[in-house]
């Protein structure tokens, strides 16, 4: 995984925001969005809504989610 971050802008809950993740995490999220036949922004909004700890950064939630998706795909 490369160390540089890729920043993307989108709207969550009606507000503009930017998210910076490593390219490998973006790729995993895009693959999961495609698997679910939903836009990437909708997948991110879904993950934003699942955070139960208000102190949990969205980027951390997205990285954990991407890892969970990759592990699930590896298991078949």
């Amino acid at each position: 995984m490369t160390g540089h971050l890729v920043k993307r802008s989108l709207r969550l809950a009606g507000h503009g925001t930017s998210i910076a993740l490593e390219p490998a995490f973006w790729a995993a999220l895009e693959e999961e969005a495609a698997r679910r036949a939903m836009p990437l922004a909708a997948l991110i909004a879904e993950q934003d809504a699942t955070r139960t700890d208000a102190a949990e950064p969205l980027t951390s939630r997205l990285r954990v989610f991407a890892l969970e998706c990759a592990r699930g795909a590896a298991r078949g």
Side-chain angles (χ1 to χ4, degrees):
M1 184 179 325
T2 60
H4 71 281
L5 298 175
V6 174
K7 186 180 279 190
R8 297 193 186 181
S9 299
L10 57 126
R11 295 189 70 75
L12 290 176
H15 301 336
T17 190
S18 293
I19 298 171
L21 293 170
E22 294 80 2
F25 287 112
W26 282 121
L29 293 171
E30 289 168 346
E31 288 171 17
E32 183 63 15
R35 189 187 73 74
R36 295 182 183 199
M38 65 191 310
L40 179 61
L43 180 73
I44 292 172
E46 178 184 276
Q47 290 307 303
D48 183 40
T50 65
R51 292 187 295 162
T52 55
D53 181 356
E56 178 187 23
L58 179 57
T59 53
S60 294
R61 176 67 201 131
L62 293 173
R63 285 183 179 99
V64 169
F65 177 71
L67 178 61
E68 291 169 349
C69 292
R71 284 182 175 165
R75 284 187 216 123

